[in-house]
């Protein structure tokens, strides 16, 4: 099991690093152009792989945290217990973050495929992962409160909001014409928030520890959601005007 974990971890890191850079190509490319579409497709499949491997890594780690996270290390039982106090909740948080990434990037493409026919988004295999986010986010929020890790609580709230907004879009009675365009952009920004937060909360925290020690690392963890949510608000308003997403007309439930 440790060998499988190590192989998946390296795959996850390499593909995640590529995704961090590739994310910006469809962002800056002309919307609807060949580069935007092709780069978006590559990013989509890349992120599904990164998120899926992240979910598997977290499940393996949670199934045997001592065997996975102490492999090759000389640690006393007291050191192991101290490590598990934060390591297990962090793995639970990363599991939620991986699921959030998977759900948002999948939603970004699915809304373009479905467009006004939202019955395609109500199938059980589509809604299942979204519904799982509710109890998982509540559990992570509870762990964040009990062990005093505000990052867990913050992203549990973000996950609850994301799952709620996706469900609302899928099931609300009417949507505005071309609303799926705005939903696509919002979901892609959401996937960017998730992937950059995962970077800063996992591997990136070691790189930034010398500049942001201790609790100051929370600044780097919150940078992605703060910037991302701000961009989401500004760009949503811009694209609603550009693509003439109308407020006085609506499409019936598909």
């Amino acid at each position: 099991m440790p060998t499988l974990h190590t192989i998946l971890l390296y795959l996850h890191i390499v593909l995640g690093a590529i995704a961090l850079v590739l994310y910006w190509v469809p962002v800056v490319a002309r919307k609807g152009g060949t580069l935007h579409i092709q780069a978006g497709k590559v990013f989509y499949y890349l992120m599904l792989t990164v998120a899926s491997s992240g979910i598997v890594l977290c499940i393996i780690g949670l199934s045997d945290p001592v065997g996975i996270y102490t492999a090759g290390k000389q640690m006393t039982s007291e050191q192991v217990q101290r490590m598990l106090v934060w390591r297990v909740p962090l793995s639970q948080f990363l599991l939620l973050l991986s699921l959030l990434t998977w759900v948002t990037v999948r939603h970004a493409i699915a809304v373009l495929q479905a467009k006004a026919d939202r019955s395609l988004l109500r199938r059980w295999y589509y809604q299942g992962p979204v519904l799982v986010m509710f109890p998982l986010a509540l559990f992570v929020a509870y762990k964040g409160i009990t062990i005093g890790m505000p990052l867990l609580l913050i992203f549990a709230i973000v996950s609850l909001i994301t799952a709620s907004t996706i469900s609302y879009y899928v099931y609300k009675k009417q949507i505005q014409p071309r609303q799926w365009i705005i939903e696509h952009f919002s979901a892609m920004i959401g996937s960017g928030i998730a992937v950059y937060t995962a970077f800063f909360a996992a591997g990136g925290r070691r790189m930034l520890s010398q500049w942001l020690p201790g609790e100051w690392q929370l600044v780097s963890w919150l940078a992605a959601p703060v910037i991302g949510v701000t961009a989401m608000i500004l760009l949503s308003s811009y694209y609603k005007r550009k693509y003439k997403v109308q407020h006085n007309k609506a499409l019936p439930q598909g």
Side-chain angles (χ1 to χ4, degrees), residues 163-219:
S164 298
T165 54
I166 289 176
S167 298
Y168 177 69
Y169 176 84
V170 171
Y171 287 107
K172 68 179 178 179
K173 186 175 181 180
Q174 294 179 320
I175 59 171
Q176 299 163 6
R178 293 178 292 281
Q179 180 66 36
W180 54 83
I181 298 176
I182 307 305
E183 193 73 7
H184 167 73
F185 290 139
S186 299
M188 287 302 289
I189 292 174
S191 69
I193 293 173
V195 70
Y196 271 90
T197 300
F199 167 73
F200 286 121
R205 63 189 175 91
R206 298 183 181 90
M207 298 170 53
L208 297 173
S209 60
Q210 55 183 319
W211 297 292
L212 296 171
E215 295 298 324
W216 283 100
Q217 287 196 24
L218 188 63
V219 175

Side-chain angles (χ1 to χ4, degrees), residues 137-182:
L138 291 173
F139 179 76
V140 170
Y142 165 75
K143 297 297 290 188
I145 293 172
T146 55
I147 66 174
M149 291 182 70
L151 180 68
L152 274 64
L153 178 59
I154 291 169
F155 268 88
I157 295 173
V158 170
S159 298
L160 287 171
I161 293 173
T162 300
S164 298
T165 54
I166 289 176
S167 298
Y168 177 69
Y169 176 84
V170 171
Y171 287 107
K172 68 179 178 179
K173 186 175 181 180
Q174 294 179 320
I175 59 171
Q176 299 163 6
R178 293 178 292 281
Q179 180 66 36
W180 54 83
I181 298 176
I182 307 305

Side-chain angles (χ1 to χ4, degrees), residues 91-158:
S91 294
Q92 293 164 344
F93 158 70
L94 292 174
L95 175 61
L96 175 62
L97 198 56
S98 296
L99 181 59
L100 175 65
T101 304
W102 196 86
V103 165
T104 51
V105 75
R106 182 195 60 164
H107 188 63
I109 301 303
V111 294
L112 293 182
Q113 296 171 338
K115 294 187 176 179
D117 184 12
R118 288 171 295 140
S119 62
L120 300 174
L121 308 179
R122 299 192 192 104
R123 297 171 180 175
W124 67 267
Y125 55 82
Y126 188 86
Q127 282 298 300
V130 179
L131 296 177
V132 168
M133 288 179 64
F134 286 102
L136 181 57
L138 291 173
F139 179 76
V140 170
Y142 165 75
K143 297 297 290 188
I145 293 172
T146 55
I147 66 174
M149 291 182 70
L151 180 68
L152 274 64
L153 178 59
I154 291 169
F155 268 88
I157 295 173
V158 170

